[in-house]
Amino acid sequence: MRLIHSLLAAGFGLTLMAGAAQADHHTPAKVAGGVLTNAAGMTLYVFDKDPAGAGKSTCNGDCAVKWPPLKAGAFDRDAGDYKVIVRDDNDRQWAYKGKPLYLWFKDQKPGDMTGDGVNNVWRTAKP
């Protein structure tokens, strides 16, 4: 009887893991109003000081508090022009065509783009 329970539990766990892996193969952004947004419709941004095409974020510490990285989950995988990069703090972040993607803490609702042009180094992410 223990063997049957063990096999059922193992099979159930594999089913859950397979489902989670499949569910996480997605495009992390969509296009709305000509800019990239997250699933909730919040505008995504790129940082001019991130090295072009390198898939490297230079926005850390206080910068990452104001410009939260678009986080990638543990099972997320590259999808087309979207790549998962590893940040200096070992968190995973989405990048689009090599440029890390960020949110802006002052945007309050979907469609807000108050971060565009901040310090002349932040831009809305465009497809």
Side-chain angles (χ1 to χ4, degrees), residues 35-64:
V35 300
L36 296 178
T37 68
N38 70 0
M42 300 302 289
T43 301
L44 295 172
Y45 298 90
V46 293
F47 186 35
D48 288 349
K49 293 185 178 183
D50 286 339
K56 171 87 174 123
S57 172
T58 59
C59 179
N60 297 294
D62 187 50
C63 177

Side-chain angles (χ1 to χ4, degrees), residues 83-96:
K83 307 290 182 209
V84 176
I85 63 169
V86 178
R87 298 175 45 76
D88 288 350
D89 61 6
N90 288 322
D91 278 347
R92 295 161 48 91
Q93 178 178 3
W94 283 107
Y96 178 72

Side-chain angles (χ1 to χ4, degrees), residues 10-45:
F12 182 71
L14 290 174
T15 302
L16 286 177
M17 287 174 49
Q22 289 174 354
D24 287 333
H25 284 283
H26 66 281
T27 302
K30 58 186 180 176
V31 179
V35 300
L36 296 178
T37 68
N38 70 0
M42 300 302 289
T43 301
L44 295 172
Y45 298 90

Side-chain angles (χ1 to χ4, degrees), residues 44-48 67 115-125:
L44 295 172
Y45 298 90
V46 293
F47 186 35
D48 288 349
W67 299 93
D116 193 33
V118 168
N119 295 329
N120 206 29
V121 293
W122 290 95
R123 316 267 174 238
T124 55

Side-chain angles (χ1 to χ4, degrees), residues 61-78:
D62 187 50
C63 177
V65 171
K66 294 176 182 173
W67 299 93
L70 181 61
K71 293 196 176 207
F75 295 105
D76 284 336
R77 299 290 175 257
D78 297 351

